[in-house]
Amino acid sequence: MEFEVLGSVRLREAVPTGRLRRTLLGVLLANANRVVPSSVLTDAMWGDQRDDRVVRNLHTHVHRLRGVLGEPGRLRSEPEGYLLTVLPGELDAERFEALIEDGIRTSAHDPGRGAELIRKGLAIWRGAPFGGLDVPVLHDEARRLGEQRLLATEELYTAELAAGRHTAVITELTELVARYPLRERLHGLLMTALYRGGQQAGALAAYRTARAVLVEELGQEPGPELRQLERRILTGEPIETARVVAVPAQLPHDVRGFVGREDQLAELDELEPGEIVAVVGEGGVGKTALAVRWAHRARERFPDGQLYVDLRGYGPEEPVPPGDVLAAFLRELGLDNAAIPDDVSERAARLRSLVDGRRLLIVLDNARTVEQVRPLLPGGSSCAVLVTSRDALAGLVAREGAHRIRLGHLSHDEAVALLRELVGPRIEEVVPALTECCARLPLALRLAAETINARPGWDLDDLLTELTTAPLDVLDAGGDEETGLRAVFSWSYRCLPPEARRLFRVFGLRRSREVELHALAGAGYRATRSLFDALLRAHLVEEVAPGRYRLHELLFAYAKDLVEATDERAAPGRLIDRHPTAEVLPLARTAAIRRREKTRTRARLA
């Protein structure tokens, strides 16, 4: 059995009839050998329709697709959705990638044979991936495959030049440069082919054309490799085959249902090569979503690639050591394992050398500390760095001059738009109340939307009641430690010093979500203020006025949850009594001190 997605979606043996069935097969093939949730399939096939007919129609189309497959057991029903089994070599995209990888590897010692293998892989293409299917869930995979094809094309002509076929490929390279004018590597290959074919003037003209396009379209001069190539042509130096440069494309999947953040996206658009931007905010506020959305939008500005890493600064796993990240980046940039130094500082220096002069975007997601970030920073002015963290990263701003963007909760209109995008018209009657129950926190809104979509029979008023009384239980994502709101809050809380944790739990003893510094400070004003500063840096509290602090509804529920979990409600003094210098006083003790002071004052006046 052979499946094809490089062009229109089809089986070699039969072509599924109808757009819906081709969409079903396309999404299953894009996720071959993985369970695809039913909700993903229905979204792809029918968009925002949410009724029982959609589920019945999905079952019908799955049944008919099984008939087309000829082997019904290949398409299995699972509790969460459907799984299509695809054996090795049956999917054309897999064969394409295997041939390209084999061709590139072979080119190192036999460029002629390597070029043949790469051409064989490129010949598999019949058209645009998943051709004719305008389905959002397939866009990223289609884009990834398209980028792989371009990279394979560049590798092909690198091998052809290494095999001495410079004159034979000039026409093909000229057509490719016209079709992809922003690919600097293609311009370099054309210049090399012309120069080695005895056309020095033509090679210099090709450079002027490349420069004009890059300046006009991107507002940037050509990169250092293209400029160096021009200098060597001007001086008549011999030019070997253009160096193979790995172009990473590591950005994760763009989030569905992204709304708002126009001001922050515009601020990121001002990011220039050589700059560092830190997007900071509390857990669940959408820092990663913003960073990934902008990075995808700005890909053309970084033609030498995009590096991405989740530093796991906050989560169930241990943070990723900088040395491990550096090793992964070096491998992605083409360095063999044997060439990667053991020492972290040497790895950092090697990274700076490799990226110098290249227009790269480096996304360092979910950082815990500045120390985790610093070794990963490039040294030159050609790369841009985008960092996300729950910490304010004050050291990165002060020492490295990073530009900080504080990400807050969505506006009311943005929260409403997100719910409408994720749930549809059914939500209209409870939208205003639901946005406030979720504190307009993007993660909470998404979890609420998933709860509604997963339980279509629920009465929405009942959901609102549960969100009001036990929000963290409703928004737990089925106990998912990566996503549940209680777990997400806990990662920030656990990173606090013990004294700051105790101060955070004090909020759980109060009826109001606000507290004033002087109400808790007693004689230890400075020490207590420093603890509040720790909460501010972790984005676990908001300073609404000087010395006045507030939690939003969901963090307030979490503070109460912590007090109940540790049985501190029964003995609130324990929150403070363990503090070594008793700098944070319980409210009752503070009030008693004030009463004694007032009594003494009256006595002196009398």
Side-chain angles (χ1 to χ4, degrees):
M1 189 175 299
E2 293 185 21
F3 300 96
E4 297 180 347
V5 297
L6 301 179
S8 57
V9 176
R10 68 185 191 183
L11 285 81
R12 181 63 63 87
E13 294 81 1
V15 178
T17 57
R19 182 191 67 83
L20 290 175
R21 212 159 305 151
R22 289 197 302 274
T23 300
L24 173 62
L25 179 58
V27 176
L28 289 169
L29 287 173
N31 299 274
N33 302 311
R34 298 196 301 267
V35 176
V36 183
S38 298
S39 60
V40 172
L41 295 170
T42 56
D43 281 349
M45 296 169 73
W46 292 285
D48 293 334
Q49 294 184 37
R50 306 280 180 181
D51 54 45
D52 293 339
R53 288 178 300 172
V54 167
V55 178
R56 290 197 300 271
N57 289 340
L58 175 61
H59 294 331
T60 300
H61 284 287
V62 168
H63 174 73
R64 291 176 180 171
L65 181 57
R66 284 181 176 134
V68 175
L69 292 173
E71 298 179 31
R74 289 287 195 101
L75 180 50
R76 299 201 315 270
S77 174
E78 300 286 343
E80 300 84 8
Y82 293 92
L83 183 148
L84 177 62
T85 299
V86 177
L87 300 180
E90 289 187 333
L91 182 62
D92 61 350
E94 179 192 338
R95 296 197 302 276
F96 157 73
E97 292 186 287
L99 280 166
I100 298 305
E101 183 178 346
D102 192 16
I104 293 171
R105 188 167 50 248
T106 303
S107 296
H109 56 84
D110 187 350
R113 174 57 181 160
E116 290 177 14
L117 290 170
I118 296 172
R119 284 192 184 275
K120 187 175 179 181
L122 290 169
I124 294 175
W125 281 66
R126 296 174 293 107
F130 309 99
L133 297 179
D134 186 14
V135 180
V137 74
L138 294 176
H139 288 171
D140 281 346
E141 179 64 6
R143 184 166 53 235
R144 186 189 71 82
L145 289 168
E147 181 68 19
Q148 287 292 101
R149 186 191 187 200
L150 272 175
L151 291 173
T153 302
E154 292 170 344
E155 297 287 358
L156 166 65
Y157 289 101
T158 300
E160 294 282 27
L161 291 177
R165 300 170 185 162
H166 35 269
T167 303
V169 298
I170 287 175
T171 300
E172 295 176 20
L173 280 169
T174 302
E175 292 174 355
L176 284 168
V177 162
R179 194 182 314 162
Y180 305 106
L182 300 182
R183 306 287 294 199
E184 288 194 40
R185 191 174 173 196
L186 286 176
H187 286 289
L189 290 166
L190 176 58
M191 290 167 61
T192 301
L194 288 166
Y195 181 65
R196 292 175 67 183
Q199 301 182 44
Q200 183 183 30
L204 292 172
Y207 174 79
R208 290 193 295 271
T209 299
R211 181 183 180 277
V213 169
L214 293 169
V215 170
E216 181 179 353
E217 296 294 329
L218 300 177
Q220 297 174 339
E221 291 288 334
E225 291 184 7
L226 214 57
R227 295 197 303 272
Q228 182 183 15
L229 187 58
E230 184 219 15
R231 286 194 296 270
R232 296 179 69 182
I233 293 171
L234 282 168
T235 57
E237 296 179 40
I239 295 176
E240 301 301 324
T241 305
R243 181 169 63 89
V244 176
V245 179
V247 180
Q250 294 187 327
L251 296 179
H253 187 276
D254 199 358
V255 67
R256 170 179 172 255
F258 187 94
V259 300
R261 307 302 196 192
E262 295 302 325
D263 291 343
Q264 290 82 10
L265 287 169
E267 204 169 350
L268 285 169
D269 283 338
E270 299 298 318
L271 177 62
E272 295 288 342
E275 289 189 324
I276 304 168
V277 172
V279 178
V280 302
E282 72 176 281
V285 82
K287 301 179 295 296
T288 298
L290 173 68
V292 172
R293 168 56 58 100
W294 179 81
H296 277 288
R297 195 167 87 166
R299 286 170 70 104
E300 289 295 324
R301 294 175 54 187
F302 304 97
D304 292 320
Q306 308 85 37
L307 292 168
Y308 171 90
V309 64
D310 178 3
L311 293 171
R312 298 204 304 256
Y314 299 86
E317 301 179 67
E318 287 297 313
V320 184
D324 291 355
V325 179
L326 287 165
F329 280 177
L330 292 173
R331 284 192 295 269
E332 185 67 17
L333 292 168
L335 215 60
D336 292 332
N337 279 328
I340 296 175
D342 292 329
D343 182 73
V344 173
S345 61
E346 290 182 15
R347 289 181 181 182
R350 186 66 60 86
L351 176 70
R352 291 193 294 272
S353 296
L354 278 178
V355 303
D356 184 50
R358 299 179 64 181
R359 291 202 292 274
L360 275 164
L361 175 64
I362 303 174
V363 182
L364 306 175
D365 192 20
N366 195 16
R368 178 181 289 190
T369 64
V370 173
E371 290 71 25
Q372 196 182 16
V373 169
R374 280 199 176 112
L376 311 178
L377 299 177
S381 59
S382 61
C383 299
V385 180
L386 181 55
V387 187
T388 74
S389 180
R390 300 187 190 188
D391 188 84
L393 298 178
L396 197 67
V397 175
R399 180 169 148 185
E400 278 75 22
H403 174 67
R404 182 165 49 209
I405 297 177
R406 293 188 184 276
L407 200 59
H409 293 204
L410 296 174
S411 69
H412 175 75
D413 289 343
E414 290 171 341
V416 169
L418 179 58
L419 284 173
R420 286 173 178 159
E421 170 75 14
L422 297 176
V423 180
R426 179 180 173 226
I427 201 72
E428 291 294 335
E429 57 191 20
V430 295
V431 156
L434 189 54
T435 59
E436 295 310 311
C437 284
C438 294
R440 292 176 282 105
L441 185 68
L443 177 59
L445 292 165
R446 289 181 176 277
L447 290 170
E450 171 55 24
T451 300
I452 294 168
N453 292 335
R455 302 177 183 178
W458 261 37
D459 184 291
L460 294 182
D461 288 331
D462 292 341
L463 173 63
L464 285 174
T465 300
E466 287 203 27
L467 277 172
T468 303
T469 56
L472 301 182
D473 291 334
V474 177
L475 304 175
D476 73 339
D480 183 359
E481 288 190 354
E482 294 279 352
T483 311
L485 210 58
R486 182 183 281 109
V488 168
F489 289 162
S490 73
W491 305 330
S492 296
Y493 172 79
R494 291 170 189 170
C495 291
L496 294 170
E499 296 86 355
R501 293 185 205 174
R502 285 194 280 274
L503 178 58
F504 180 79
R505 295 199 301 274
V506 168
F507 282 89
L509 297 170
R510 299 174 57 83
R511 294 183 180 179
S512 169
R513 294 187 287 116
E514 292 189 5
V515 67
E516 293 187 358
L517 174 61
H518 69 75
L520 297 179
Y525 180 92
R526 289 185 180 177
T528 308
R529 180 61 183 259
S530 71
L531 295 180
F532 273 113
D533 287 343
L535 296 181
L536 285 169
R537 286 193 299 272
H539 294 93
L540 282 172
V541 70
E542 178 186 9
E543 189 170 18
V544 294
R548 189 176 176 187
Y549 302 90
R550 179 172 62 196
L551 303 184
H552 63 68
E553 292 86 348
L554 298 174
L555 278 175
F556 189 49
Y558 180 61
K560 290 182 175 295
D561 195 54
L562 288 171
V563 171
E564 292 175 358
T566 54
D567 197 30
E568 286 168 323
R569 184 173 298 280
R574 288 186 346 203
L575 280 175
I576 310 304
D577 293 340
R578 287 198 298 265
H579 194 285
T581 59
E583 289 158 332
V584 182
L585 301 180
L587 299 181
R589 285 178 58 191
T590 303
I593 290 171
R594 287 178 179 166
R595 285 196 298 271
R596 286 197 298 270
E597 289 176 348
K598 287 181 180 179
T599 301
R600 291 169 183 164
T601 300
R602 290 194 192 101
R604 285 198 300 270
L605 292 174

